[in-house]
Amino acid sequence: MIAICLGSLLSGVILAALSVRDPSRAGFLERWSGICLIVGLCLLGVSLRISR
């Protein structure tokens, strides 16, 4: 579970970096970057809660 949330967080960061380099697709990439970051943080919270 932690691997999935870290992968999602990493994907969000990579998409954000790509959006800076490609201004023509910045809106699309930033939207998906935000979604990946939110999902990753939610999964991290759930996995930390379960591990207690």
Side-chain angles (χ1 to χ4, degrees):
M1 181 90 152
I2 291 181
I4 294 171
C5 75
L6 291 178
S8 180
L9 290 171
L10 183 62
S11 298
V13 171
I14 290 171
L15 287 172
L18 288 175
S19 73
V20 173
R21 294 182 182 178
D22 190 4
S24 65
R25 297 188 306 166
F28 175 77
L29 292 172
E30 287 174 358
R31 185 176 310 119
W32 280 104
S33 169
I35 291 170
C36 287
L37 290 173
I38 289 172
V39 168
L41 289 174
C42 289
L43 288 174
L44 182 63
V46 168
S47 65
L48 289 176
R49 185 67 123 182
I50 290 173
S51 68
R52 284 186 173 187

